[in-house]
Amino acid sequence: MFLLLVAGGLVYLLLGDLQEALMLLGFVLVVMGITFYQERKTERALESLRDLSSPRALVIRDGVDKRIAGREVVPGDLIVLAEGDRVPADAVLLDCTSFSADESLLTGESVPVRKASCINTEQVPLMARPGGDDSPFVFSGSLVVQGHAVALVRATGINTEMGKIGKALQKVESDNTALQEETNLLVRNLAMLGLSLCLLVVIAYGLTRGDWLQGFLAGITMAMAVLPEEFPVVLTIFLALGAWRISQSSVLTRRVPTIESLGSATVLCVDKTGTLTLNHMKVKKIFACGEFFELDDGEDLLPDAVHEVIEYSILASQIDPFDPMEKAFKKLGEDYLARTDHIHRDWELVREYPLSKKLLAMSRVWRSPSRKEYVIASKGAPEAIVELCHFDQNRQRELSQAISAMAQEGMRVLGVAAASLQATDLPDGQHDFDFKFIGLIGMEDPVRPGVPEAIRECYSAGIRVVMITGDNPGTAQAIARQIGFPSDQVITGPELEKLSDQELQSLVRDICIFSRIMPEQKHQLVLALKANGEVVAMTGDGVNDAPALKAANIGIAMGSRGTDVAREAASLVLLDDDFSSIVKAVRLGRRIFDNIKKAMAYILAIHVPIAGISLIPVLLEWPLVFFPIHVVFLELIIDPACSIAFEAEPEEADVMLRRPRDAKKPLFDWRTMGLSLLQGASVLIIVLAVFAVSLYMGRGESEARAMTYTTLVIANLGLILANRSWSRTIIETMSTPNPALWWVVGSAIVFLALAIYVPSIRELFGFAHLHFIDIAICFMAGIAGVLWFEGLKIINRFTDYT
């Protein structure tokens, strides 16, 4: 494309049109600058990965605590981890207290995982995979949300789990889009055709008339008429302006060619945590006094029965919590119980009993200034709370039903208990307290507002939605039911590991939920879908999503919550993290592709009569109709029409009711190309007829040229109006606003009038003065060239209706 634009600039230089030449050559520099910027941007993913992998670290070296850069940590170092720290390397826990970590960047699991120290420090085990409770391993890039620990570093840099993702990301290669390949082929073919016709015109003119200089000028005119400079211009301008339009819907386009793929997306792979959900915990339901209580955001007051449950859940949590669940308890208390007796800011914390492998519950002992006894609050796994409360089998059975009911709704369930003790020495274990069961708390990661509606729009547009998450199957199914897509079948990560590539390709055609999925499996799923011929859009926000985002046809990262790695690896970034923005981007993508197709169909159609009227008079030994100045004037109409007017054309009414465009189907299929060429051929026949009749009637060469050129300009405007829509007639499209179009049409009419009626310009163009009847004949002839296409639209609509 660059070479053709340079060639066009050189042709204009040879013709002495310095302004047009500089415009084309300047445009080459702009496109090269954009390309360089895009290439540089895509290589920043690994740099972002290195930055994220290098937090500050507290290490113990030679018995002394040192704070160093994370990149300076080496295997064998002892690191000290505390609440809020980013883990600098993959390590084994040697000692920890109430320690849990958020590994969602690596696993997609929204709930922090509980950690346990290594039992035998003499024989440190080999590193395992991220995820799962009671593991002694911590991983680079994960976040400590509770407790403190000492760990032995086992792997750093590229050898960590995050480093493995970096290596996978580095191996993924991006391909040219189908539209880029097709445009390359079309431009190359037209360039070869133009060169061939140029040589033919020069040789034919020189041999038949003996004037080689005039033949060379005729050949230059022919080359200018056929030179396909508008195609790369349209492709670049439409996609660049499309990226700007999409940015108005809070979607940043990182790779401009991705825009043309939006309209052909058939599958949208969604990472649940932080994409469909808000990635923070919220109290949804409370079980107390034998009843369930739903907590709605719109309520002003909470039922009295749940006050005690919230009170003791806060007492069992950190005063300034970092854990998402404890944050949810604190927020609920601040929102609804701040001015009640259930919030105890003046109480003194006496002791904490951490959770352990044997008892998944933690208790905190408080002293009240106004009471002599201790107050003990406990929270933890429901089974642990049942154990502390010493329930009999009947009570256990009743509570088990309540726990199951909440779990089936995808909630994480915690139990709450309370006890009191006279001010004596505190016991060594939690079992020595006489706990009373207070209630159950069901928590959820809420669905983002607008997601169900966006999912429905995806289905109406023929896009299948697939959830890929690291969460458990029950939670994934519960979210699927809330947002409205099939939840009956689920494939887990361990099940997926057992499948061959062929079996996986077969399963992904029907399964909509994949849970407990590891990072490399997301990448594997994207490749399986692409192997089935799907055009895959993948959303995500974590480091673990980066390889899948880059491998997908359309990678969509979340802007606010997403990591730098995800954003750099993606093609699109949702700046507002609003899932519904994806639907807006798809709609705009389809509109942009429609308009590219309309503009290129128009370009192909209008070049047929321009090339024909430059070639046929030479072969028939007629007087020349066009000289370079005539083609330049037509380009002043064609260029803004295809680059401004068609780009600003609003979307068709059915743009989101169609099936996705077949990615394998070319922009110019036989039907599209045939109709475009037929439009051009009909205009060529009309224009040649006007020229021939004018000469036959003895009007003279100048008058015949003026009438022929006027007819072509009017037919050109008719082609612009006809190609605004291939389903609606010109009259029907008049009600659709497009100010840029009318500026183009008005300017063309004004310039044509100047060329015909201003003597100096008329002489430059080689025209004669035209009367009103001549203009009327030209107008009717020009319109006649596109009337058949308007009739075809009506016939097609009637056929579709019947």
Side-chain angles (χ1 to χ4, degrees):
M1 293 187 194
F2 293 142
L3 290 176
L4 286 170
L5 286 171
V6 171
L10 292 176
V11 168
Y12 284 123
L13 279 175
L14 291 173
L15 294 171
D17 194 335
L18 183 62
Q19 184 176 3
E20 192 75 13
L22 291 177
M23 182 188 72
L24 282 179
L25 295 175
F27 186 74
V28 171
L29 296 177
V30 172
V31 173
M32 289 176 66
I34 293 173
T35 303
F36 175 78
Y37 174 78
Q38 292 290 339
E39 290 294 329
R40 177 69 184 94
K41 193 93 170 174
T42 57
E43 295 308 317
R44 291 179 56 192
L46 292 178
E47 294 176 19
S48 298
L49 187 59
R50 284 192 292 271
D51 291 341
L52 187 63
S53 300
S54 187
R56 304 291 292 178
L58 181 62
V59 301
I60 301 174
R61 289 179 177 173
D62 300 324
V64 179
D65 293 355
K66 292 183 178 181
R67 181 73 67 176
I68 63 175
R71 64 176 63 89
E72 297 177 11
V73 173
V74 296
D77 271 337
L78 289 178
I79 55 174
V80 179
L81 301 172
E83 203 170 273
D85 286 348
R86 183 75 69 178
V87 180
D90 288 4
V92 180
L93 296 175
L94 302 181
D95 182 66
C96 66
T97 302
S98 300
F99 193 84
S100 60
D102 179 359
E103 297 179 350
S104 61
L105 290 179
L106 295 167
T107 65
E109 174 66 66
S110 58
V111 178
V113 291
R114 183 178 61 254
K115 297 294 181 179
S117 59
C118 180
I119 298 175
N120 185 357
T121 57
E122 298 296 327
Q123 294 181 346
V124 178
L126 296 175
M127 296 295 297
R129 301 305 302 274
D133 288 327
D134 299 324
S135 165
F137 307 109
V138 289
F139 300 91
S140 177
S142 59
L143 185 67
V144 180
V145 298
Q146 187 177 38
H148 54 272
V150 176
L152 176 67
V153 175
R154 298 300 300 269
T156 60
I158 203 70
N159 297 315
T160 63
E161 288 295 319
M162 188 180 294
K164 293 174 185 176
I165 294 174
K167 286 191 286 187
L169 185 62
Q170 197 172 26
K171 294 175 184 176
V172 179
E173 297 182 357
S174 301
D175 300 327
N176 285 338
T177 64
L179 185 55
Q180 287 176 311
E181 296 289 347
E182 188 178 352
T183 305
N184 286 339
L185 180 62
L186 183 62
V187 169
R188 185 164 61 249
N189 290 342
L190 286 176
M192 295 301 295
L193 176 64
L195 179 61
S196 302
L197 291 178
C198 175
L199 293 174
L200 176 63
V201 167
V202 172
I203 294 171
Y205 200 98
L207 291 177
T208 57
R209 308 189 190 191
D211 190 343
W212 290 96
L213 178 60
Q214 194 66 28
F216 179 75
L217 291 175
I220 290 292
T221 304
M222 186 70 210
M224 292 178 61
V226 181
L227 187 69
E229 69 199 58
E230 297 92 355
F231 286 103
V233 170
V234 163
L235 185 61
T236 303
I237 290 180
F238 273 51
L239 295 181
L241 290 179
W244 173 79
R245 292 186 187 280
I246 289 177
S247 72
Q248 305 305 298
S249 299
S250 299
V251 180
L252 174 65
T253 305
R254 289 199 59 258
R255 294 182 179 86
V256 173
T258 304
I259 294 172
E260 62 100 355
S261 300
L262 283 170
S264 57
T266 58
V267 175
L268 175 57
C269 296
V270 183
D271 179 61
K272 179 188 73 66
T273 304
T275 306
L276 293 176
T277 64
L278 293 169
N279 198 21
H280 68 71
M281 302 306 290
K282 171 187 172 185
V283 178
K284 177 66 175 176
K285 184 178 286 190
I286 291 179
F287 177 79
C289 303
E291 294 184 61
F292 286 107
F293 297 91
E294 292 272 359
L295 302 188
D296 295 325
D297 293 334
E299 291 185 356
D300 295 327
L301 298 173
L302 293 177
D304 292 337
V306 306
H307 288 185
E308 193 176 25
V309 180
I310 299 171
E311 174 186 3
Y312 282 97
S313 69
I314 295 172
L315 288 174
S317 304
Q318 298 288 333
I319 296 173
D320 187 14
F322 198 81
D323 182 272
M325 291 181 288
E326 293 186 350
K327 282 184 176 181
F329 299 151
K330 184 178 181 181
K331 184 178 187 305
L332 194 62
E334 290 175 345
D335 289 346
Y336 294 101
L337 304 180
R339 298 180 182 178
T340 68
D341 296 334
H342 296 283
I343 302 298
H344 310 288
R345 294 187 177 88
D346 57 344
W347 284 20
E348 177 190 357
L349 178 64
V350 179
R351 183 172 175 179
E352 179 177 340
Y353 293 86
L355 54 81
S356 63
K357 274 188 174 182
K358 295 181 179 179
L359 185 66
L360 300 179
M362 62 178 295
S363 299
R364 309 187 90 204
V365 182
W366 297 86
R367 180 186 288 119
S368 166
S370 60
R371 297 166 64 176
K372 294 182 179 180
E373 73 273 9
Y374 294 121
V375 175
I376 302 94
S378 181
K379 67 176 174 65
E383 297 80 7
I385 297 299
V386 167
E387 184 180 341
L388 288 176
C389 295
H390 306 292
F391 278 3
D392 58 28
Q393 289 188 354
N394 289 333
R395 288 293 306 276
Q396 289 185 35
R397 193 179 303 111
E398 292 174 4
L399 193 62
S400 178
Q401 293 176 354
I403 295 169
S404 298
M406 297 172 82
Q408 286 176 1
E409 295 182 34
M411 286 183 273
R412 184 178 177 88
V413 185
L414 292 179
V416 180
S420 61
L421 183 71
Q422 293 300 320
T424 60
D425 292 337
L426 292 170
D428 294 332
Q430 300 178 66
H431 280 289
D432 296 321
F433 295 111
D434 184 17
F435 279 107
K436 178 185 73 170
F437 179 75
I438 302 298
L440 299 172
I441 299 180
M443 310 192 71
E444 69 170 3
D445 186 3
V447 170
R448 287 184 177 275
V451 167
E453 292 78 9
I455 294 290
R456 285 194 291 271
E457 282 202 69
C458 285
Y459 283 139
S460 70
I463 303 171
R464 185 164 70 95
V465 182
V466 174
M467 183 193 300
I468 303 176
T469 178
D471 234 330
N472 64 71
T475 302
Q477 287 177 299
I479 294 295
R481 287 191 290 270
Q482 291 181 50
I483 62 178
F485 72 87
S487 60
D488 52 336
Q489 291 182 294
V490 183
I491 295 292
T492 64
E495 292 171 338
L496 191 146
E497 285 182 349
K498 301 174 184 178
L499 300 175
S500 67
D501 290 343
Q502 290 73 21
E503 290 172 330
L504 180 58
Q505 290 175 24
S506 177
L507 274 176
V508 294
R509 291 190 176 97
D510 303 310
I511 303 297
C512 292
I513 303 176
F514 295 86
S515 67
R516 295 295 188 196
I517 298 298
M518 298 303 293
E520 65 273 14
Q521 291 177 325
K522 293 185 178 184
H523 186 202
Q524 186 181 355
L525 284 169
V526 170
L527 294 180
L529 287 164
K530 289 177 70 175
N532 286 339
E534 305 282 6
V535 177
V536 182
M538 169 78 187
T539 68
D541 61 353
V543 174
N544 62 310
D545 298 321
L549 287 173
K550 194 168 183 181
N553 301 93
I554 307 163
I556 307 172
M558 310 307 271
S560 299
R561 298 180 182 271
T563 61
D564 287 342
V565 178
R567 287 192 289 269
E568 294 297 329
S571 306
L572 303 175
V573 179
L574 301 184
L575 299 178
D576 58 359
D577 283 8
D578 187 351
F579 183 82
S580 61
S581 296
I582 298 174
V583 181
K584 297 177 184 176
V586 170
R587 180 185 293 109
L588 284 169
R590 292 188 175 190
R591 166 191 165 178
I592 292 163
F593 188 85
D594 280 355
N595 289 346
I596 289 176
K597 186 174 181 178
K598 294 172 185 177
M600 290 192 170
Y602 157 72
I603 293 169
L604 186 61
I606 191 56
H607 275 79
V608 171
I610 295 175
I613 206 69
S614 301
L615 174 64
I616 293 175
V618 174
L619 299 179
L620 298 181
E621 299 187 29
W622 290 355
L624 292 180
V625 182
F626 287 169
F627 295 103
I629 190 172
H630 299 108
V631 179
V632 170
F633 177 78
L634 284 172
E635 292 293 334
L636 292 178
I637 302 174
I638 296 170
D639 287 350
C642 62
S643 62
I644 299 176
F646 280 109
E647 193 283 328
E649 191 65 28
E651 66 199 41
E652 299 278 1
D654 65 342
V655 71
M656 288 300 286
L657 299 177
R658 312 174 196 155
R659 297 285 303 170
R661 180 180 57 84
D662 186 354
K664 297 179 181 178
K665 186 177 180 181
L667 175 69
F668 277 114
D669 56 15
W670 288 110
R671 179 178 181 273
T672 304
M673 185 172 291
L675 286 174
S676 297
L677 293 175
L678 199 55
Q679 288 184 70
S682 63
V683 171
L684 174 60
I685 292 170
I686 294 292
V687 170
L688 283 174
V690 170
F691 185 64
V693 170
S694 299
L695 289 177
Y696 179 76
M697 294 177 64
R699 292 291 188 96
E701 184 178 321
S702 297
E703 188 172 346
R705 179 180 295 113
M707 291 191 67
T708 303
Y709 197 75
T710 302
T711 303
L712 181 57
V713 170
I714 293 172
N716 184 14
L717 298 180
L719 286 173
I720 295 173
L721 296 176
N723 282 280
R724 287 184 69 190
S725 173
W726 280 29
S727 59
R728 295 179 297 154
T729 63
I730 293 177
I731 296 175
E732 291 170 331
T733 58
M734 290 296 182
S735 60
T736 303
N738 187 345
L741 170 70
W742 301 115
W743 277 105
V744 171
V745 173
S747 299
I749 293 173
V750 169
F751 286 136
L752 179 62
L754 292 174
I756 294 174
Y757 296 111
V758 175
S760 58
I761 301 177
R762 185 170 65 232
E763 184 178 351
L764 183 64
F765 274 77
F767 289 166
H769 183 276
L770 295 182
H771 300 90
F772 176 77
I773 187 63
D774 299 323
I775 298 293
I777 292 172
C778 294
F779 178 80
M780 288 186 291
I783 294 300
V786 297
L787 279 181
W788 70 268
F789 189 54
E790 295 299 289
L792 182 63
K793 295 178 186 178
I794 298 173
I795 293 172
N796 286 338
R797 187 187 308 168
F798 178 76
T799 303
D800 292 341
Y801 177 77
T802 54

